[in-house]
Amino acid sequence: MSPTALPGRPFGRVLTAMVTPFDAEGRLDLAKAEELATHLVELGNDGLVVNGTTGEGPTTSDAEKSELVRAVVSAVGDRATVVAGTGTYDTAHSIHLSREAEKAGAHGLLLVTPYYSRPPQSGLVLHFSAVADATDLPVMLYDIPPRSVIPIEVETLQRLAEHPRIVAVKDARNDLRVGTEVLATTTLAYYSGDDPVNLPWLSVGAVGFVSVIGHVVANRLRELIDAYEAGDVDRARSLHYATLPVIRAMGRAGGVIFAKAAMRLRGVDVATRGCRCRRPPRSRSPRSRATCRPRASCSPTPRASTTTARAPSARGPPLTSVPRWPTTEPEPARDDARAYPYCEEKSLSRPPARSDRPRSDRRSRSPRRDRARPAAGPPEEVNRAELPFHPPPELPDGALRVVALGGIGEIGRNMTVFEYDGRLLVVDCGVLFPSEDSPGVDLILPDFRAIEDRLEDIDALVLTHGHEDHIGAVPFLLRQRPDLTIVGSRFTLALVAAKCKEHRLTPHLLEVKEGERLHHGAFDCEYFAVNHSIPDALAVAIRTPAGLVLHTGDIKLDQLPLDGRLTDLAGFSRLGDEGVDLFLVDSTNATCPAS
């Protein structure tokens, strides 16, 4: 039994997903692990999760995982529960890790949804049940669709709750509706697995947190739970708001890097030479380590009146807007990142385009009329595929970069990429139909070269509506990233599903409705009804710590639509009161003078 278990709380109340210390040579540093574990317990944690994602579990060997569990258990004794992350996408390997963790003294297991392989829900039941059967330890399931792609559905959780050793869920799905349904129909204990929504989870019945910011504010998290359970909701709310500067710092740096740098700033150096992580996480330089230091600008401040671009303010770096395609001669480098043309948003680390290769290296092939290709430039310009890419300006910490891959000044190829904290959100992915001067070409695609080496960084593809100039290129993007989550309305996704069926693709679709608000990785998205010449169109408000962007998609202001579905101007007004930092509006011929 877990040493800090309480009635209804099988693993305690405040657990921290502990980082793993490494020495200067990248070897596991068990002495520092014991020191860190002791510090975290003294700070107020009654549980520690080791070998999880924040603990860089994917980079450690099986033997290192066992050694780490043994060291942490030895350091904390019966003062804290030690939960070992043993979930993988291989059931047999997960069973082996779980048994080894039990031998090493772990008090419980954390099992993540099998990632990459995307098993059906019946496969999840078999996987989790087999691992839970392999030991006598209590199990916490880890539901995190942004990383594992597939969620654990309500019916699946209800079935798994019947297993005597599956007792809890760590939720990083951020769907309170699903959590409420599970809490109401099972005995599973819920733990918030995403710090920004700790308090909302308590309001629907969660019993605690599995936190990253617990590395530095575990005592405040305990106070938050105490206040809420005592009925002092106002104090709980104030304590939750007080954690926002730390949450923002974590969002800028990433969980692993944030925690290690923050520990060092607090005088607990968990690495021989600073913020040392195993690859792929990148160590922060001393200059940028300030990113992990909560700043005065993290406190809520009044929002200044803004237009589509704003100057740097106390709220953080500006939104970075990037103009459309450049001329053949790129503009000189300027300090203002907003002045860089699109072709400067891509590194040079790519294979040469077909047109760059020597003729002797090319295969001879007959032209095909149905072959879609990236767009050619205007007749008076060099072909766009031949334009060089240049490294973009470094994106300031906390800034948002906006790049249009098409759709600016043309009717078609609508595709916009938002970048924040190393993650990408794509809005629309359409085609352009060629003109008479492009014989033999049926479709013109957005130029995917800008994201071809960052496809795994895309958290979601959001579709505003179902016209071809907004969804026509989706199958071509899915060929490069088949597991990409596609978000849209029911009608739009039905059109996408039919299109993908023609291409023999099985897309991962996520239906949303107006009024819903979901997190897609680093991006908090709220959806609004808009009126257009096709049903079920949506606008999306994209929130990040850098600011608020409203992207309307194609929009009409028709007060008598045939389907009775009006553009949600009241919702837009509410966003205006909140403060919109960038307003992106798409309407055909909107720039044409009235007759």
Side-chain angles (χ1 to χ4, degrees):
M1 182 176 176
S2 304
T4 56
L6 298 168
R9 293 184 170 93
F11 300 101
R13 301 194 303 170
V14 179
L15 296 85
T16 285
M18 194 183 95
V19 296
T20 300
F22 300 108
D23 65 17
E25 304 301 323
R27 295 168 301 200
L28 182 64
D29 193 330
L30 294 177
K32 287 192 178 295
E34 293 178 355
E35 177 187 346
L36 174 60
T38 299
H39 170 79
L40 293 177
V41 172
E42 292 173 350
L43 185 63
N45 287 285
D46 49 16
L48 300 175
V49 176
V50 298
N51 294 327
T53 306
T54 305
E56 300 173 75
T59 72
T60 56
S61 67
D62 292 1
E64 287 176 322
K65 289 179 172 64
S66 296
E67 291 172 359
L68 182 61
V69 170
R70 192 171 289 107
V72 172
V73 170
S74 173
V76 303
D78 60 359
R79 296 178 298 160
T81 297
V82 178
V83 180
T86 59
T88 71
Y89 57 25
D90 178 352
T91 304
H93 190 208
S94 300
I95 289 173
H96 169 73
L97 292 176
S98 300
R99 288 172 173 166
E100 292 301 308
E102 184 177 36
K103 294 176 184 176
H107 305 118
L109 305 175
L110 179 69
L111 301 182
V112 70
T113 310
Y115 42 89
Y116 188 75
S117 54
R118 299 173 58 192
Q121 295 298 308
S122 58
L124 294 184
V125 172
L126 294 173
H127 172 81
F128 288 132
S129 299
V131 181
D133 287 338
T135 77
D136 292 326
L137 298 178
V139 171
M140 179 188 293
L141 304 179
Y142 187 8
D143 191 10
I144 181 168
R147 295 188 182 181
S148 64
V149 181
I150 58 172
I152 311 176
E153 300 293 358
V154 172
E155 296 78 7
T156 304
L157 287 167
Q158 290 169 338
R159 290 182 60 187
L160 290 168
E162 298 173 0
H163 195 289
R165 282 185 290 281
I166 297 178
V167 296
V169 176
K170 174 187 175 182
D171 187 283
R173 181 177 181 176
N174 291 343
D175 190 331
L176 296 179
R177 181 193 63 81
V178 169
T180 302
E181 180 73 19
V182 176
L183 284 164
T185 57
T186 74
T187 59
L188 291 173
Y190 257 68
Y191 289 80
S192 169
D194 192 10
D195 287 304
V197 289
N198 283 341
L199 181 57
W201 269 116
L202 289 181
S203 72
V204 297
V207 300
F209 314 136
V210 179
S211 172
V212 175
I213 66 171
H215 281 90
V216 291
V217 293
N219 52 340
R220 294 298 179 89
L221 297 180
R222 291 181 67 91
E223 292 178 27
L224 192 162
I225 295 176
D226 289 339
Y228 186 84
E229 293 182 343
D232 192 349
V233 178
D234 288 340
R235 173 164 170 73
R237 188 184 300 115
S238 297
L239 288 165
H240 182 62
Y241 292 163
T243 65
L244 288 178
V246 185
I247 291 171
R248 290 180 182 136
M250 177 182 65
R252 288 192 298 269
V256 181
I257 297 170
F258 157 80
K260 289 194 172 184
M263 285 285 90
R264 188 181 187 194
L265 290 171
R266 292 177 65 89
V268 183
D269 194 355
V270 295
T272 302
R273 294 173 57 191
C275 179
R276 181 164 298 281
C277 305
R278 282 187 178 172
R279 293 180 180 180
R282 178 175 63 87
S283 296
R284 294 271 176 169
S285 65
R287 175 186 176 187
S288 61
R289 195 176 300 119
T291 295
C292 300
R293 194 188 301 269
R295 300 178 294 186
S297 62
C298 294
S299 302
T301 56
R303 214 184 262 262
S305 176
T306 60
T307 56
T308 56
R310 63 181 174 85
S313 68
R315 293 185 62 229
L319 294 168
T320 302
S321 180
V322 183
R324 192 193 174 219
W325 207 277
T327 60
T328 54
E329 292 295 326
E331 296 178 7
R334 292 169 54 182
D335 291 336
D336 185 355
R338 288 170 291 180
Y340 278 76
Y342 162 73
C343 71
E344 298 193 2
E345 293 300 315
K346 183 70 169 63
S347 70
L348 296 173
S349 57
R350 65 176 181 88
R354 181 173 297 276
S355 58
D356 298 333
R357 300 172 188 165
R359 183 172 299 274
S360 59
D361 291 344
R362 305 181 200 168
R363 289 184 179 177
S364 175
R365 64 164 65 196
S366 300
R368 292 173 52 187
R369 292 184 57 83
D370 61 346
R371 180 177 174 83
R373 63 176 177 83
E380 69 274 16
E381 294 184 3
V382 175
N383 187 305
R384 290 173 178 172
E386 296 176 350
L387 287 174
F389 286 105
H390 300 283
E394 183 177 354
L395 190 62
D397 289 327
L400 177 71
R401 195 195 314 270
V402 183
V403 179
L405 303 190
I408 305 297
E410 61 186 359
I411 302 176
R413 299 198 313 137
N414 292 281
M415 187 172 184
T416 307
V417 179
F418 297 84
E419 179 182 2
Y420 178 78
D421 194 28
R423 306 300 299 173
L424 305 178
L425 179 77
V426 180
V427 176
D428 291 328
C429 187
V431 297
L432 174 68
F433 294 104
S435 59
E436 295 179 354
D437 59 359
S438 300
V441 177
D442 287 343
L443 300 175
I444 301 175
L445 306 180
D447 195 331
F448 296 149
R449 291 181 301 168
I451 58 174
E452 66 183 0
D453 61 349
R454 299 195 58 192
L455 295 173
E456 296 302 320
D457 294 336
I458 303 175
D459 286 322
L461 167 60
V462 174
L463 302 177
T464 58
H465 65 280
H467 276 154
E468 284 293 303
D469 59 334
H470 289 256
I471 70 169
V474 169
F476 300 96
L477 182 60
L478 288 183
R479 288 177 183 176
Q480 301 185 48
R481 170 82 189 278
D483 63 344
L484 179 61
T485 298
I486 303 174
V487 183
S489 65
R490 175 176 297 185
F491 185 76
T492 301
L493 294 184
L495 296 176
V496 171
K499 184 177 295 294
C500 289
K501 185 176 181 180
E502 296 176 2
H503 290 258
R504 298 182 179 179
L505 296 170
T506 304
H508 177 60
L509 305 178
L510 177 60
E511 180 184 335
V512 294
K513 299 178 181 178
E514 58 265 26
E516 292 188 342
R517 183 169 174 177
L518 301 175
H519 281 269
H520 307 303
F523 304 90
D524 177 3
C525 296
E526 184 175 4
Y527 297 91
F528 298 84
V530 294
N531 180 245
H532 188 38
S533 56
I534 190 171
D536 227 7
L538 295 171
V540 57
I542 304 168
R543 294 177 175 87
T544 69
L548 171 59
V549 178
L550 175 58
H551 188 307
T552 67
D554 251 339
I555 184 173
K556 294 199 307 181
L557 300 180
D558 185 352
Q559 297 305 302
L560 295 171
L562 293 177
D563 61 359
R565 188 172 176 271
L566 295 170
T567 295
D568 188 2
L569 297 180
F572 290 177
S573 176
R574 172 171 58 80
L575 291 177
D577 293 338
E578 179 180 342
V580 175
D581 296 287
L582 180 63
F583 188 29
L584 302 176
V585 186
D586 184 4
S587 190
T588 304
N589 297 325
T591 59
C592 297
S595 57

